[in-house]
Amino acid sequence: DAGITQSPRYKITETGRQVTLMCHQTWSHSYMFWYRQDLGHGLRLIYYSAAADITDKGEVPDGYVVSRSKTENFPLTLESATRSQTSVYFCASSENSNQPQHFGDGTRLSIL
Amino acid sequence: GQQLNQSPQSMFIQEGEDVSMNCTSSSIFNTWLWYKQEPGEGPVLLIALYKAGELTSNGRLTAQFGITRKDSFLNISASIPSDVGIYFCAGRNPYNQGGKLIFGQGTELSVKP
């Protein structure tokens, strides 16, 4: 039971570069979410998706792009990375809008 | 935006002691969740609560959904060193679309053997 996996686990890149964080779940959950976790801010929702081809903004969407062409994958792209996007990124999924969310182990992203 | 107030922010206790932490909201929730996060890992679900007044246990952990629907608490009995981590509450507003959760700031628990 692989669950939900994120890749890469660690990434260092430079300001202005494009970077994509991957998220894959094996549960066939309808809902998927991207959060960033920063000291002093806790977990903040970036984007979420209710199903394939349906995405919506969360609390802090600026600077990020998502897509969901397949139910099991929900990649997050930083089109032109900035230092303020240095953070730990978590992907989560849930069976539907009423069930708990289950989290991956995160991607630690550093932007120099 | 909607806020969740989680307290205490940190606790440093002796092994064997009981622990209590709580979360309060400015508005009603229809779901309360409690997660634990260890270093280098994602939050792991501990307990889910869906009805006001509900009391649910998971081993040494007990959580309750407050009667007012604006609060929840988590108790850990007879703490052990592996209880160390950050505990997060999360709530779901019945008027929020998309199953979005609002998270507390976390309670960092340290247990001295």
Side-chain angles (χ1 to χ4, degrees):
Chain A
D1 185 350
I4 184 164
T5 54
Q6 293 183 237
S7 61
R9 289 297 314 276
Y10 303 91
K11 177 76 177 177
I12 300 174
T13 192
E14 295 177 339
T15 302
R17 299 260 181 147
Q18 182 180 82
V19 59
T20 296
L21 311 184
M22 304 302 293
C23 179
H24 175 78
Q25 52 105 355
T26 60
W27 293 309
S28 299
H29 283 174
S30 293
Y31 281 77
M32 296 187 76
F33 306 83
W34 273 107
Y35 293 88
R36 60 178 290 173
Q37 187 176 39
D38 306 286
L39 278 175
H41 290 281
L43 283 155
R44 292 184 291 174
L45 182 65
I46 304 170
Y47 269 95
Y48 69 102
S49 167
D53 297 321
I54 301 175
T55 62
D56 209 344
K57 295 178 180 179
E59 183 185 353
V60 288
D62 293 344
Y64 303 95
V65 174
V66 293
S67 62
R68 188 131 179 247
S69 57
K70 292 184 177 181
T71 301
E72 61 266 30
N73 296 323
F74 191 37
L76 176 75
T77 298
L78 289 66
E79 291 192 306
S80 179
T82 65
R83 290 200 178 115
S84 65
Q85 293 175 309
T86 292
S87 186
V88 182
Y89 290 85
F90 288 100
C91 179
S93 71
S94 65
E95 187 175 345
N96 55 50
S97 61
N98 295 320
Q99 294 298 310
Q101 295 175 20
H102 298 276
F103 287 79
D105 280 336
T107 295
R108 185 175 293 274
L109 178 63
S110 296
I111 299 164
L112 306 178
Chain B
Q2 195 165 7
Q3 299 275 332
L4 265 191
N5 193 14
Q6 184 172 351
S7 64
Q9 282 190 314
S10 61
M11 303 182 75
F12 191 88
I13 62 168
Q14 199 77 29
E15 183 177 0
E17 289 183 1
D18 296 344
V19 171
S20 184
M21 59 191 79
N22 69 82
C23 277
T24 57
S25 168
S26 56
S27 58
I28 62 171
F29 283 165
N30 61 1
T31 302
W32 281 99
L33 306 171
W34 284 92
Y35 290 87
K36 178 187 178 187
Q37 185 177 21
E38 297 187 24
E41 297 182 7
V44 174
L45 181 69
L46 298 173
I47 293 178
L49 303 160
Y50 298 102
K51 289 194 320 190
E54 181 179 357
L55 185 72
T56 297
S57 293
N58 177 5
R60 293 177 296 105
L61 278 61
T62 301
Q64 185 159 29
F65 193 139
I67 290 291
T68 66
R69 297 174 66 188
K70 291 185 179 182
D71 61 345
S72 177
F73 72 76
L74 174 71
N75 285 345
I76 305 173
S77 62
S79 59
I80 58 179
S82 62
D83 290 334
V84 165
I86 302 177
Y87 292 79
F88 290 98
C89 63
R92 183 174 287 137
N93 184 316
Y95 309 109
N96 256 352
Q97 291 182 337
K100 289 181 282 188
L101 294 174
I102 299 162
F103 283 85
Q105 294 295 309
T107 296
E108 185 168 7
L109 179 64
S110 301
V111 180
K112 186 177 179 182

